[in-house]
Amino acid sequence: MKNLALLIIAASLLTGCQSAMHAGAGSVWAVTKNQDQFTDVETKMVTVGEGLSDSFIFTRSLNYYPFVGTQDGELFVGIRSGGSYRIPTGTVQIRIDANKTWTISPDETPIYLAPTTLPTTTPTDLDEKTATNVAMIQAEAMKNMTKAMSPYTAATGEKAKNILREMVAGKTIKYRTVGMNQAASSTGEVHINDSFLESLKAIGIDPENI
């Protein structure tokens, strides 16, 4: 019994869940929404997991999942890591049906999808100009580090629109991580069905007008 309890605890630590909307019978894709407690800015996502219930999307650590989202009118499309303890996704590749492969790097990821930026310190014995330059260099380095550590990798702008157009017209999305962050379970494939189109509509994206 003790060993069984330990296995259950370990499984719960590796499995994460997010609240879901529109996860009806036969759904592959569902909607998640998150509102910042301080800014009230809402991030909406259409994504998948290991399984869906009426209320939750279940994911596992060391596994990756495609997603489409919006924040303040900006569209982003990419791959995220799952589970309670999410790892950096790094550079990812996406391919819809027989179309060309899209590569997305952490540099393209919106900073608001990354974890909170780490604090920096500037030496106090520097003149004002040097201190300003050091602060700017530190801020840029922290920004890049934050993106590299993010459990999300996503494209924005026209690239995101082009990927989404292929997804709307496609049947299957294949994806994988590449490079240093690659894990044993870094590849995946998900069917694109009506639940994807319905979920897009639920977050304000018109599949026929992208």
Side-chain angles (χ1 to χ4, degrees):
M1 290 294 294
K2 181 178 180 181
N3 290 336
L4 178 60
L6 290 175
L7 287 173
I8 293 173
I9 293 172
S12 66
L13 291 176
L14 293 173
T15 304
C17 61
Q18 291 179 297
S19 59
M21 300 175 62
H22 305 285
S27 294
V28 176
W29 301 78
V31 172
T32 69
K33 296 183 179 181
N34 179 64
Q35 187 173 46
D36 189 281
Q37 296 182 12
F38 296 94
T39 65
D40 293 329
V41 173
E42 188 175 49
T43 302
K44 306 174 185 178
M45 288 189 186
V46 174
T47 189
V48 300
E50 299 296 323
L52 303 177
S53 72
D54 291 338
S55 304
F56 296 102
I57 301 175
F58 298 95
T59 61
R60 294 184 182 279
S61 296
L62 303 181
N63 281 254
Y64 300 88
Y65 308 90
F67 68 90
V68 175
T70 62
Q71 185 182 106
D72 282 342
E74 182 176 33
L75 172 71
F76 48 87
V77 179
I79 304 297
R80 66 192 183 99
S81 62
S84 298
Y85 299 96
R86 297 183 295 171
I87 62 175
T89 44
T91 299
V92 301
Q93 290 184 321
I94 293 173
R95 189 178 190 189
I96 296 92
D97 297 342
N99 295 303
K100 72 174 184 179
T101 298
W102 295 93
T103 299
I104 310 173
S105 73
D107 291 340
E108 303 175 63
T109 303
I111 192 66
Y112 55 74
L113 287 178
T116 304
T117 304
L118 300 174
T120 60
T121 58
T122 303
T124 57
D125 57 344
L126 301 177
D127 60 78
E128 183 177 353
K129 182 177 180 180
T130 302
T132 299
N133 290 337
V134 170
M136 291 176 60
I137 293 171
Q138 284 187 338
E140 185 65 23
M142 285 297 117
K143 180 179 177 180
N144 293 334
M145 183 181 298
T146 298
K147 288 185 175 184
M149 294 170 60
S150 175
Y152 299 90
T153 300
T156 57
E158 278 304 311
K159 184 173 181 178
K161 290 181 180 179
N162 289 332
I163 297 173
L164 183 54
R165 289 187 187 107
E166 290 185 3
M167 292 178 72
V168 167
K171 299 296 182 184
T172 303
I173 177 173
K174 298 178 181 178
Y175 54 94
R176 67 179 179 183
T177 59
V178 296
M180 291 180 63
N181 291 321
Q182 186 170 0
S185 56
S186 60
T187 61
E189 180 175 326
V190 176
H191 292 297
I192 302 171
N193 65 1
D194 289 342
S195 66
F196 177 69
L197 302 180
E198 292 304 313
S199 294
L200 287 180
K201 295 176 184 176
I203 66 170
I205 298 175
D206 182 358
E208 298 181 359
N209 187 29
I210 300 172

